Amino acid sequence: MSMKKYGLNEITLMQFIFMNFGVQISIGLLALPQVLAERAGTEGWIGIPIGWVFSTGASLIIIQLMKKFPDGTVVDLLTRYLGNWAGKSGAILYALYYLFFGYLGIVRTILYTKDWLLPQTSAYITMLLLLIPTYTIARNGLRIIGRYVELIIFLSLWIVFVYLFPLKDAHWLHLFPIFKEGWKPIFSAAQVTIFSYLGFGVTLILYPFLQNKTKASMGVVISNTMTMLVFLFITIVCFVYFSPDEMKAYNEPVVNVLKTIEFKFIERVEMLFVAFYLFIFSFSWIPTMYLSVFCTSWLFGKQDHRSHLRLLWLIIAVATFFYIPTFNQSDQMDKALAWAGICCEYVFPACLLIYVCIHDRLGWRVYE
């Protein structure tokens, strides 16, 4: 694929940061406090900084890997160092991974929409309502997706201030004592947060589109830190507001904590939150499904990804007409995605970096 296309779709450092950040916080945030409470009680929040260490380390490994071939994506790098067969295999692998990520994101969005906003609306209609505007954004490439993510994150800053209201009824003693059951439950919670940080692997495709690649390392550290701060802030708000037993009873404590807030001009704040959070949910499927069709377009040597995008949208729409997973089934899909993400974002880039370093040191053949 021509490198000119990468140049024409360059993204700024801020867009690069926000896309990494947006994919990470998109679908895992609402249930995270409850899962942490089940694993480690009110000490579960300690697992969030531990997860940050692992995700940031893996992100920096990816940056070091991409520096080996800064003008190409991971599939271009695979082709250069291992040959055409490896590039095509990598394109198929990451196309399927990003497709699975995006599909789970849009399924979760539909389920949350039906649960909180539109219980009488069929999943098929909701899917169409989401896919039509999504195609309008995704068909225009990464630069437009980056601008969209940038805009939504700036418009979402009000959410932080809303979550300050429950703190007036906070019980900070819920967080103490710390380490009352040792490190084992905390490490169990850290495992969950490592899964929650998944999404930083989009750097494997985004890197050649970044205008100033010298700041890529700084960008991934900032995006992972932003993710950690959001996870930590929301989790602590839930932990100090709900009792330890209540935390385990709510499936989406991030939403339920808002039920206690009432303004003169609006009573159901949580409904407004869920409605607006649909935009943040979209970070889980708009960028990732674009990256999926980017990989398939690369596989067939095409620069125009729109035909693949239309085909993908059609397949998803038809499939949704016949079947939509339930919450329990989506939880099983989430577990499968988590282990797929560990392979595609942690293990594979690290192994590939080791191979590339050995390859360069020994001067083995490079496939042009």
Side-chain angles (χ1 to χ4, degrees):
M1 184 177 289
S2 171
M3 296 303 158
K4 184 179 180 181
K5 180 174 176 62
Y6 297 163
L8 291 174
N9 284 275
E10 282 185 336
I11 57 176
T12 64
L13 177 63
M14 183 173 291
Q15 291 168 349
F16 175 76
I17 292 171
F18 282 172
M19 274 196 273
N20 275 278
F21 168 67
V23 174
Q24 286 178 311
I25 66 166
S26 53
I27 59 175
L29 178 62
L30 295 191
L32 180 62
Q34 184 212 26
V35 176
L36 293 178
E38 289 177 343
R39 290 292 186 99
T42 53
E43 297 174 337
W45 64 270
I46 303 175
I48 295 176
I50 297 175
W52 174 85
V53 172
F54 282 94
S55 65
T56 303
S59 297
L60 292 174
I61 287 174
I62 289 175
I63 296 300
Q64 294 306 310
L65 171 65
M66 299 311 296
K67 284 181 178 179
K68 298 295 183 179
F69 190 38
D71 292 327
T73 65
V74 66
V75 291
D76 296 306
L77 186 145
L78 281 168
T79 303
R80 178 179 174 86
Y81 282 93
L82 289 168
N84 195 45
W85 67 270
K88 290 183 177 180
S89 300
I92 294 172
L93 171 69
Y94 279 99
L96 292 174
Y97 172 63
Y98 291 130
L99 174 60
F100 189 23
F101 198 117
Y103 179 70
L104 178 59
I106 202 167
V107 165
R108 279 289 182 87
T109 303
I110 292 172
L111 294 175
Y112 284 132
T113 302
K114 285 182 65 63
D115 192 30
W116 288 94
L117 300 174
L118 303 172
Q120 303 301 321
T121 305
S122 69
Y124 178 68
I125 297 300
T126 306
M127 177 67 81
L128 290 179
L129 292 174
L130 295 175
L131 287 181
I132 293 173
T134 298
Y135 173 75
T136 304
I137 297 170
R139 69 177 181 178
N140 293 303
L142 274 177
R143 179 177 294 178
I144 300 302
I145 294 174
R147 290 174 182 173
Y148 168 76
V149 173
E150 201 173 22
L151 173 64
I152 297 303
I153 288 179
F154 279 122
L155 292 178
S156 303
L157 293 177
W158 63 272
I159 295 177
V160 176
F161 297 100
V162 171
Y163 274 95
L164 294 176
F165 283 93
L167 292 180
K168 69 180 186 297
D169 299 316
H171 300 279
W172 294 96
L173 290 178
H174 288 168
L175 299 178
F176 300 98
I178 300 176
F179 305 117
K180 56 181 176 290
E181 296 182 13
W183 282 98
K184 185 176 179 180
I186 293 174
F187 284 133
S188 178
Q191 180 184 0
V192 174
T193 60
I194 289 173
F195 293 151
S196 298
Y197 280 101
L198 290 176
F200 60 83
V202 296
T203 303
L204 291 164
I205 306 295
L206 296 183
Y207 185 84
F209 295 92
L210 182 61
Q211 287 179 351
N212 190 348
K213 296 178 178 59
T214 59
K215 296 183 178 180
S217 296
M218 179 182 69
V220 295
V221 171
I222 292 174
S223 63
N224 279 280
T225 303
M226 289 169 59
T227 303
M228 179 194 68
L229 293 176
V230 170
F231 284 167
L232 203 57
F233 172 67
I234 298 297
T235 299
I236 289 178
V237 168
C238 293
F239 278 12
V240 299
Y241 182 81
F242 294 115
S243 69
D245 292 332
E246 286 179 317
M247 275 299 305
K248 299 176 183 179
Y250 292 116
N251 290 325
E252 293 91 30
V254 176
V255 180
N256 284 281
V257 74
L258 299 177
K259 286 186 174 182
T260 58
I261 303 174
E262 289 187 7
F263 298 111
K264 292 182 179 180
F265 53 89
I266 183 171
E267 293 185 358
R268 302 290 302 276
V269 176
E270 77 277 7
M271 303 294 285
L272 177 63
F273 169 81
V274 174
F276 190 86
Y277 204 80
L278 295 180
F279 289 106
I280 300 177
F281 276 140
S282 69
F283 298 161
S284 66
W285 76 78
I286 295 179
T288 53
M289 287 191 174
Y290 170 82
L291 295 182
S292 179
V293 298
F294 175 90
C295 290
T296 58
S297 299
W298 183 96
L299 188 63
F300 290 98
K302 295 183 178 180
Q303 294 187 8
D304 189 355
H305 63 277
R306 288 175 294 183
S307 59
H308 287 218
L309 192 62
R310 286 192 293 267
L311 178 60
L312 176 60
W313 258 225
L314 179 62
I315 293 172
I316 292 175
V318 172
T320 306
F321 181 77
F322 294 101
Y323 174 74
I324 184 77
T326 63
F327 267 114
N328 289 335
Q329 290 168 337
S330 71
D331 287 340
Q332 296 302 315
M333 293 169 62
D334 190 49
K335 292 177 182 178
L337 177 67
W339 289 110
I342 293 295
C343 295
C344 291
E345 300 190 19
Y346 283 89
V347 179
F348 180 73
C351 294
L352 184 57
L353 177 61
I354 293 172
Y355 172 81
V356 169
C357 290
I358 295 174
H359 183 286
D360 289 344
R361 178 65 64 88
L362 298 179
W364 292 344
R365 176 188 175 188
V366 173
Y367 298 83
E368 298 295 342

